[in-house]
Amino acid sequence: MTDAQFIPKPYTKSLNSGAFTWSSPSNIALVKYWGKRENQIPENPSISFTLNACKTTTTIHFSKKEDQRDFSFTILLDGKEAPDFKPKILTFFERVETYLPFLKSYHFRIETSNSFPHSSGIASSASGMSALALCLMSIEKAMSDNLSEADFIKKASFLARLGSGSACRSIEGDLVVWGEHEGIEGSSNLYGIKYPYEVHEVFKNYHDTILLVDKGEKQVSSTVGHNLMFGHPFAKQRFEQAGNNLSQLKGILKSGDLEGFMSLVEQEALTLHAMMMTSNPYFILMKPNTLKIINAIWAYREKTKAHLCFTLDAGANVHLLFPDYEAKQIGEFIKNELVAFCQNGHYISDRIGFGAKLL
Ligand code: DP6
């Protein structure tokens, strides 16, 4: 499997201008991606729930231009020019030009907005980069004769990965695996695939309530974060552990073993943070309220035997995962006891979703 499969055959149709709009969700990893090699190749396989409410909607307007020497685009966030986003998009265009050879032939006006507040501390790179990749794929599709749905999705995920690793897991739902794993047929380092095995009913409609503990800018960019795994004293063990956890999760997802699920997911979250705390330089991305929430969850679980667990990304916010049939009781607990730990009482009630949509 090489990258060459994503270089398109000469296009059969020409387009002067047009527009496409996609909405693409965020995702929350159960087994975390942390550490990558050159060209956005992950050091270990990861798996995530695709979310539903947290999403980015992006419209690309494209128009043919005379001068084809450079990339040309403007980017607007919520209707306002957002020059801060330009470098990331330029890097993305440079990385994907080989696979989308039309990029220098058009001027693009990229209009984007997120369903979650910009300053929520929720990373928009997964939803944003996947929405952008999908819009570009729609342009390619309009210029091609016979691009199958499956090839469209695979290449969209491949391109999204080159924008931001975790973005390749946002194209489809409700569970997506990215990274080669011998126990998961069809898994690839180049793109995400829908989890191909049986999943117990209890995981359908799973909830993810995101407690916004710290809405500030990310303290450590993901690129800096991933680089911390180079020469990390525990890197080798961590990458092995992720693979083993994914193998174990396969059985858990099939049998509906919620105890096993909670323990694996929390271990993954804390390992991610442990990696950051033990790297050089080191970081603590949890805040006092992150720990207060974790302790409150554990006490509540002890008392009620509810199936509520947490996971974390590379920040202080806490994702609360729980099954639909316990949502009422757990919802009360969140409102009564956890919301107090959120910045300005802000949180987002989300649940598992089914991937991006062409609008
Ligand atoms: C902690 O996908 O944001 O959320 O590839 O550098 O853009 P880049 O990194 P990114 O890393 C996400 C890391 C994580 C875990 C995960 O989503 O698997």
Side-chain angles (χ1 to χ4, degrees), residues 190-295:
L190 302 181
Y191 46 83
I193 61 159
K194 255 169 105 147
Y195 179 71
Y197 303 111
E198 198 184 326
V199 176
H200 192 278
E201 271 303 302
V202 79
F203 295 111
K204 304 278 151 82
N205 226 350
Y206 226 71
H207 289 247
D208 179 4
T209 297
I210 309 162
L211 302 181
L212 305 176
V213 172
D214 182 24
K215 301 197 260 174
E217 281 289 306
K218 270 192 177 177
Q219 204 180 319
V220 185
S221 78
S222 60
T223 304
V224 170
H226 289 286
N227 281 338
L228 296 173
M229 291 307 279
F230 279 114
H232 192 293
F234 309 134
K236 186 167 171 281
Q237 293 91 325
R238 161 58 197 157
F239 301 145
E240 271 170 29
Q241 177 200 38
N244 293 338
N245 277 348
L246 188 49
S247 305
Q248 221 185 310
L249 193 58
K250 215 173 132 178
I252 291 171
L253 289 173
K254 187 172 176 195
S255 67
D257 168 14
L258 287 179
E259 301 296 329
F261 179 79
M262 295 189 297
S263 126
L264 188 147
V265 164
E266 292 188 351
Q267 185 206 36
E268 274 291 319
L270 294 180
T271 302
L272 171 71
H273 282 255
M275 289 300 112
M276 287 182 240
M277 291 199 253
T278 49
S279 54
N280 186 11
Y282 43 80
F283 296 94
I284 299 181
L285 299 186
M286 289 187 272
K287 297 283 181 202
N289 279 354
T290 312
L291 290 174
K292 285 186 187 150
I293 291 166
I294 293 174
N295 281 313

Side-chain angles (χ1 to χ4, degrees), residues 29 32-34 36 40 88 125 163-166 169 222-223 226 272 313-314:
K32 308 287 180 183
Y33 148 56
W34 197 244
K36 62 179 170 184
Q40 297 282 100
K88 197 153 189 201
S125 66
S164 176
S166 57
R169 298 188 313 235
S222 60
T223 304
H226 289 286
L272 171 71
D313 269 344

Side-chain angles (χ1 to χ4, degrees), residues 11-17 62 64 106 142-144:
Y11 299 126
T12 49
K13 294 172 208 156
S14 85
L15 291 176
N16 278 325
S17 61
F62 57 98
K64 201 131 211 171
Y106 292 92
M143 295 194 292
S144 312

